[in-house]
Amino acid sequence: MFEEILPNLYRIEIPLPNNPLKALNSYVIKSEGRFLVIDTGMNREECKREMFSDLEKLHVDLKNTDFFITHLHADHLGLVASLVTDTSTVYFNREEIAIIDSQERWQKLYAFYLSNGFPEYELKKALEGHPGYRYGLKQHLDFCILNEGDPIEIGDYHFRCIETPGHSPGHMCLYEANKKILVSGDHVLFDITPNISSWFEMENSLKEYLASLEKIYSLDVNLVLPGHRSLWNNHRMRIRELEQHHQARLNEVLTALEDGEKTAFEIAPYVTWDVDYGSWELFPASQKYFAVGETIAHIRYLEEEAMIRRKTQGDKVVFSLE
Ligand SMILES: [Zn+2]
């Protein structure tokens, strides 16, 4: 399914089966002779079918198509390898190339979540089903690295890159100042809340995320094109809501520790999650994994604010109020 949003700018909805995100918004911009595709979908058949069918209807010639990928997550990056030709440029950020290429990443994540109290059996299930593991980029690509302020010109659209670390270490938005358009990737979403997880590459991802929200708050924006769900116009109101949302979660983490020390896995059920599974016990392993990652990001923030302290107990890390 695709729709024209502005002259020569289209949204393609790429289905994400069995995923709470439901679909990815891929954006296609046409100009005379050249095309730009922003984010692509997962490296799986259902995404590929939709993308190829819509690109064909839009008369997009892949030989003349470049790609901009907001960040490394499989639903944005995974499919790009199936779309590139030897005359395509794939724009990406520097920070995340090392993460994609890392061989030992999944073992490191396994050890890290175990030490945070994740039960072994469920952790194995969560990692085996992880979209990045199953549907991520499976081959080496030569990216064209973009940095803060770098331009991407396509027809009447004059975009500039804005570095917005937080949701991921190298996340980038695109801003079109004349048309007041913000391509927000997963930095700002409207119907759902971006997942702010813990990263080996970011000491304090929530702090970086909040700073990146503040960074785009000042932009003059009439239309936000997010990576998932509905388009919106008022990014400032949403930014304030997202800040309040994280403040509420920080408070829930502190409340969880009032009756004694806990691992991150034990703190997570005290936090309010936007998913609808009834109780924590009924969360699928993959959702517990995302919830614990997000809990750790909030714990890290509170540690840096000197409100929580950690200690190692056997092979686990436990947290208590300062
Ligand atoms: Zn993402």
Side-chain angles (χ1 to χ4, degrees):
M1 201 184 85
F2 70 85
E3 59 175 321
E4 186 169 21
I5 289 162
L6 289 167
N8 295 318
L9 193 159
Y10 302 82
R11 163 167 73 158
I12 299 183
E13 249 192 322
I14 306 287
L16 302 173
N18 310 316
N19 188 303
L21 294 168
K22 293 183 181 154
L24 169 95
N25 295 326
S26 173
Y27 299 98
V28 178
I29 301 168
K30 297 170 78 169
S31 73
E32 222 145 297
R34 203 84 202 154
F35 308 91
L36 179 74
V37 174
I38 301 173
D39 289 341
T40 60
M42 290 180 183
N43 181 15
R44 60 185 294 181
E45 225 20 66
E46 296 89 338
C47 298
K48 203 169 169 177
R49 219 178 298 132
E50 182 70 40
M51 181 62 103
F52 274 98
S53 134
D54 289 340
L55 289 180
E56 198 184 312
K57 286 177 205 149
L58 285 167
H59 306 291
V60 171
D61 171 13
L62 287 173
K63 282 251 166 276
N64 291 310
T65 302
D66 302 315
F67 300 86
F68 172 82
I69 308 295
T70 56
H71 65 294
L72 84 173
H73 281 145
D75 48 334
H76 300 255
L77 171 72
L79 191 61
V80 74
S82 306
L83 301 167
V84 287
T85 62
D86 47 13
T87 44
S88 303
T89 300
V90 185
Y91 299 105
F92 195 55
N93 69 82
R94 189 181 306 280
E95 284 76 7
E96 294 175 359
I97 291 177
I99 304 176
I100 300 168
D101 288 343
S102 160
Q103 298 297 318
E104 67 277 16
R105 182 165 189 80
W106 296 103
Q107 291 99 295
K108 264 177 85 183
L109 283 169
Y110 182 75
F112 177 73
Y113 278 79
L114 265 192
S115 72
N116 278 289
F118 218 107
E120 207 171 339
Y121 167 71
E122 279 190 290
L123 182 55
K124 278 191 180 138
K125 248 172 85 175
L127 286 174
E128 278 161 15
H130 193 290
Y133 186 72
R134 292 184 67 179
Y135 306 118
L137 187 67
K138 295 283 194 281
Q139 70 188 67
H140 178 81
L141 280 184
D142 287 320
F143 295 107
C144 174
I145 303 295
L146 292 178
N147 295 297
E148 177 78 19
D150 285 347
I152 295 186
E153 306 280 341
I154 178 89
D156 286 342
Y157 294 86
H158 311 286
F159 290 106
R160 298 224 163 248
C161 293
I162 306 178
E163 292 172 352
T164 47
H167 172 72
S168 67
H171 190 287
M172 274 199 294
C173 294
L174 290 179
Y175 180 55
E176 219 292 355
N178 299 326
K179 296 185 167 52
K180 299 179 181 168
I181 301 169
L182 178 72
V183 177
S184 68
D186 284 357
H187 184 44
V188 177
L189 300 171
F190 296 89
D191 315 71
I192 47 177
T193 315
N195 170 256
I196 306 305
S197 195
S198 106
W199 291 82
F200 300 127
E201 298 76 13
M202 284 189 283
E203 262 303 298
N204 188 341
S205 54
L206 179 57
K207 192 174 176 182
E208 292 207 33
Y209 179 67
L210 295 173
S212 294
L213 283 182
E214 221 41 60
K215 185 175 179 182
I216 61 157
Y217 187 89
S218 57
L219 298 177
D220 197 1
V221 175
N222 283 339
L223 178 64
V224 187
L225 306 177
H228 304 278
R229 312 283 180 96
S230 344
L231 282 52
W232 207 255
N233 45 29
N234 194 338
H235 77 304
R236 292 194 178 132
M237 194 173 93
R238 184 59 179 152
I239 286 171
R240 291 298 173 242
E241 281 174 9
L242 289 168
E243 287 166 350
Q244 283 165 16
H245 165 89
H246 289 291
Q247 194 51 56
R249 284 207 170 155
L250 290 168
N251 291 336
E252 286 174 326
V253 169
L254 290 173
T255 306
L257 292 174
E258 274 170 9
D259 60 349
E261 58 187 31
K262 291 180 176 64
T263 63
F265 187 83
E266 290 165 334
I267 295 170
Y270 287 80
V271 176
T272 310
W273 303 106
D274 305 329
V275 284
D276 201 14
Y277 294 106
S279 73
W280 171 257
E281 286 69 32
L282 298 173
F283 274 40
S286 59
Q287 289 306 313
K288 283 187 184 170
Y289 179 84
F290 290 120
V292 170
E294 181 131 7
T295 302
I296 297 168
H298 287 72
I299 291 169
R300 278 294 305 140
Y301 185 94
L302 292 165
E303 273 186 287
E304 219 176 278
E305 299 292 302
M307 297 174 85
I308 280 182
R309 85 181 94 173
R310 68 167 65 207
K311 69 173 181 202
T312 309
Q313 210 168 62
D315 53 1
K316 301 270 182 290
V317 181
V318 293
F319 300 94
S320 56
L321 293 176
E322 193 56 73

